[in-house]
């Protein structure tokens, strides 16, 4: 697969090492067709086949088209189904996730990873979709941010266009902006 073999990427190892040094929660920004998705796919490859396979269970989660809470849950379920074999190996049945709400599904994934001495690595693509989600369900973003920054059992990498910066300016209610707590972005 062209998009996930390590030799086809320029400075990807440097980017990975930088991400690991800085935080468990990072964001990569860039314009269209710069390799953001390919970076996530490489991280997925490295954490399933590479030297980090005994530390993480990765989930490539594409937010594209997830304009509301239901869409975000549906994209999570599709992502788990795409990696069904990997998640069945740690005791996750996609039907269990289907029966739960978004946050129940995420907690289930985290608990199953932890029970297998792994951390859940969420590789979130097209995250600028959260701008629309903020419009329709502003109460969801603080809860989602809290989960994505859970600590050592959840590692999160966000990729998006520069539009994601719009979330830095918004602060629903009395909470911090969604991107607070993520390392300042690396621009690709």
């Amino acid at each position: 697969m062209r998009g996930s073999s390590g030799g086809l990427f320029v400075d990807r190892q440097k980017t990975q090492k930088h991400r690991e040094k800085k935080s468990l929660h990072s964001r990569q920004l860039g314009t269209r067709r710069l390799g953001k998705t390919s970076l996530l796919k490489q991280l997925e490859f490295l954490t399933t086949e590479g030297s980090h396979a005994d530390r993480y269970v990765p989930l490539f989660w594409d937010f594209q088209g997830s304009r509301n809470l239901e869409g975000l849950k549906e994209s999570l379920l599709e992502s788990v189904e795409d990696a069904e074999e990997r998640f069945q190996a740690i005791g996750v049945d996609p039907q269990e996730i289907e029966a739960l709400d978004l946050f129940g599904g995420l907690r289930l994934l985290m608990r199953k990873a932890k029970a297998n001495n792994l951390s859940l690595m969420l590789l979130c693509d097209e995250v600028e979709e959260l701008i629309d989600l903020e419009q329709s369900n502003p109460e969801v973003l603080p809860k989602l941010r809290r989960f994505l920054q859970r600590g050592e059992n959840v590692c999160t990498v966000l990729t998006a266009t520069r539009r994601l910066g719009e979330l830095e300016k918004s602060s629903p209610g009395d909470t911090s902006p969604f991107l607070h707590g993520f390392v300042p972005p690396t621009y690709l």
Side-chain angles (χ1 to χ4, degrees), residues 139-159:
E139 72 283 355
V140 171
L141 289 187
K143 197 172 179 182
L144 183 59
R145 179 174 66 94
R146 197 168 45 250
F147 182 85
L148 294 178
Q149 296 180 2
R150 263 323 255 263
E152 66 185 55
N153 294 316
V154 177
C155 175
T156 306
V157 180
L158 308 177
T159 64

Side-chain angles (χ1 to χ4, degrees), residues 11-48:
D11 288 15
R12 296 299 198 229
Q13 289 178 340
K14 182 178 173 184
T15 301
Q16 168 72 5
K17 285 179 183 166
H18 172 76
R19 190 195 61 72
E20 286 179 350
K21 276 187 205 174
K22 289 287 195 174
S23 173
L24 292 174
H25 314 292
S26 66
R27 55 187 159 137
Q28 315 296 314
L29 301 180
T31 58
R32 294 191 48 176
R33 308 205 40 85
L34 262 180
K36 299 179 301 293
T37 301
S38 296
L39 173 64
L40 292 180
K41 289 293 191 176
Q42 184 188 27
L43 289 173
E44 181 181 38
F45 172 77
L46 290 172
T47 52
T48 54

